[in-house]
Amino acid sequence: MTRRTPGRVRQLPDTRVARHCNREDDVLAHLIETPHTPLSAPLQAHLGECAGCRDLALVGSALRLDHATALAQVRVPSAGQVWWRAELRARQDAAARATRPITVASGLAAACLLGLLASVAGALAWWVRDWLQDQPLVHALLAPLAGPGTWTAHWSGNATPALAVGALLAVTLLAASAVLAAWREQ
Amino acid sequence: MTIARTALVATAPSADGTFVMREDEFRLLYDRTSRPLWVYLWRLTRDAHAADDLLQDTYYRFLRTPGRYESERHERNALYRIATTLVRDGLRRGHPVSEALPEDGAGGLAGASDAVHATADRTDVQRALARLRPRDRELLWLAYAEGSSHVEIAASLGLRTGSIKMLLSRARRRMADLLQRRVASPGEPGS
């Protein structure tokens, strides 16, 4: 005799559960078709001998009763309500699908605009630098703050590649953000 | 009727083509299937609100999925297949099932909790179902509560028909053990 472990479901050998009794269909038919009538005497006698059919009768009758009671109590939304919600959701889905390319395009446009602004700023930087170099007042003001020729050398030597890389990074980041935003929305 | 419905489903999408059937056809389908489907969802999730949401989602997906249905049973199987998939997806994402089954009937049928949980027998069934694996729950419910055939169960759960008998037999054995244990020790806490 197998000893039952407390708190755990007893696992029976597969040989027992795999065996299919020929009377199972009779028991099942009784449960489904005539659940409120008592089992016939031969079937009742069979249940005393067959563990599989006993399990079937126990589980089947419990579930049938549970199902019947729940079915009698359940209240579902009306068909019209479900249809209306489905229509609403279909419209929302369609709108989301329609606006997805616009979202991507907006993101890309924003990225392009920022890139353009960065390029313009880069071009203007040359002009500003030249203009500042021509202003004696600015030289006079900045001379005490930096060593001789420090900031002007820095601007004239490294500004172009730094700005170009910055603009490229900004465009890449914004494009990626736009694509990510569109994907999340989807 | 069945043949007529098949033709309707196949050839009469909604006016704007959004759904695979018209509203009047949907009403017929809904009246026929919604209540058992809701109970099935409720039994799988043990959450009335989740069952409400999943019911809506199930019909929405059904309405948006083009398909030809040979019979009403076939149509019903497709619905149960969608519902089962949605529940499994929910379980995979970690919601909406709550493992605990409170004694006071919370989490039962909407608006009818007291009546539904009135008997100890039904509570035992709920507890036993709650302790089963999701697939065992699905199998047992479809086979014995709904009275579905092995072919229908296979279609609803996406399993091979040949494996249903074995899986069902094992699931039944597990549930019988749980029910018998409850009967043998009715005061057992924490079931």
Side-chain angles (χ1 to χ4, degrees):
Chain A
M1 185 174 168
T2 311
R3 192 170 170 190
R4 189 173 290 183
T5 309
R8 293 187 60 190
V9 179
R10 183 165 50 119
Q11 298 293 327
L12 293 171
D14 282 354
T15 48
R16 179 179 167 188
V17 295
R19 206 179 298 137
H20 182 71
C21 174
N22 291 331
R23 304 297 301 274
E24 277 187 12
D25 292 340
D26 296 335
V27 177
L28 191 57
H30 174 85
L31 286 173
I32 292 171
E33 290 159 19
T34 54
H36 302 299
T37 57
L39 284 167
S40 63
L43 212 49
Q44 191 71 51
H46 174 71
L47 287 190
E49 301 162 356
C50 178
C53 287
R54 224 171 20 247
D55 289 347
L56 174 58
L58 175 68
V59 173
S61 59
L63 288 175
R64 290 297 292 180
L65 174 68
D66 188 66
H67 180 249
T69 315
L71 215 52
Q73 302 282 348
V74 65
R75 282 198 294 259
V76 292
S78 70
Q81 204 175 351
V82 172
W83 179 267
W84 177 75
R85 282 184 191 153
E87 280 187 323
L88 196 66
R89 186 169 159 190
R91 276 201 292 273
Q92 285 170 347
D93 286 354
R97 266 199 308 277
T99 55
R100 199 174 307 135
I102 297 173
T103 309
V104 173
S106 304
L108 288 174
C112 290
L113 183 65
L114 200 81
L116 186 69
L117 286 174
S119 305
V120 168
L124 283 177
W126 289 98
W127 180 81
V128 170
R129 185 205 60 182
D130 291 343
W131 182 77
L132 285 175
Q133 279 179 341
D134 293 340
Q135 303 301 313
L137 181 61
V138 175
H139 276 280
L141 286 172
L142 294 177
L145 298 175
T150 305
W151 71 277
T152 49
H154 178 78
W155 271 63
S156 60
N158 302 325
T160 309
L163 281 170
V165 168
L168 192 65
L169 271 176
V171 169
T172 310
L173 280 174
L174 277 169
S177 305
V179 170
L180 187 66
W183 179 75
R184 276 187 178 166
E185 196 169 303
Q186 178 186 359
Chain B
M1 174 64 188
T2 298
I3 294 168
R5 276 285 302 131
T6 306
L8 283 171
V9 170
T11 60
S14 57
D16 57 358
T18 307
F19 298 139
V20 295
M21 62 175 65
R22 294 192 309 251
E23 186 174 356
D24 54 337
E25 296 163 350
F26 173 73
R27 283 177 186 276
L28 289 175
L29 170 75
Y30 186 83
D31 290 344
R32 185 162 44 82
T33 55
S34 60
R35 290 158 63 84
L37 184 59
W38 192 94
V39 176
Y40 174 66
L41 289 167
W42 178 55
R43 271 290 171 247
L44 296 190
T45 60
R46 306 192 290 284
D47 183 327
H49 296 297
D52 283 341
D53 292 342
L54 288 167
L55 186 79
Q56 177 73 43
D57 210 7
T58 300
Y59 282 107
Y60 176 72
R61 287 177 190 230
F62 180 85
L63 286 169
R64 296 301 299 265
T65 309
R68 285 178 165 275
Y69 303 106
E70 293 160 10
S71 65
E72 289 180 350
R73 298 294 285 186
H74 191 191
E75 217 170 36
R76 174 190 167 280
N77 293 343
L79 271 173
Y80 276 76
R81 179 79 181 265
I82 295 170
T84 305
T85 305
L86 287 173
V87 172
R88 287 176 184 170
D89 288 349
L91 285 172
R92 225 171 278 133
R93 286 196 297 267
H95 62 93
V97 174
S98 57
E99 287 301 323
L101 268 173
E103 292 287 356
D104 60 3
L109 287 169
S113 300
D114 294 343
V116 170
H117 295 278
T119 66
D121 283 350
R122 293 200 65 226
T123 306
D124 286 346
V125 172
Q126 288 177 50
R127 288 180 182 281
L129 281 172
R131 295 190 65 179
L132 289 172
R133 288 186 295 210
R135 192 178 66 183
D136 288 349
R137 267 200 300 272
E138 295 159 8
L139 279 163
L140 290 171
W141 191 263
L142 288 174
Y144 303 128
E146 302 265 355
S148 302
S149 69
H150 288 188
V151 175
E152 288 170 341
I153 295 171
S156 297
L157 301 186
L159 298 169
R160 284 188 299 112
T161 309
S163 63
I164 297 296
K165 184 182 283 187
M166 175 69 76
L167 294 171
L168 202 48
S169 181
R170 289 178 179 165
R172 195 171 63 216
R173 181 67 242 163
R174 289 185 195 109
M175 176 136 183
D177 275 347
L178 289 167
L179 287 173
Q180 282 163 351
R181 198 162 50 159
R182 288 291 300 175
V183 171
S185 55
E188 182 188 3
S191 297

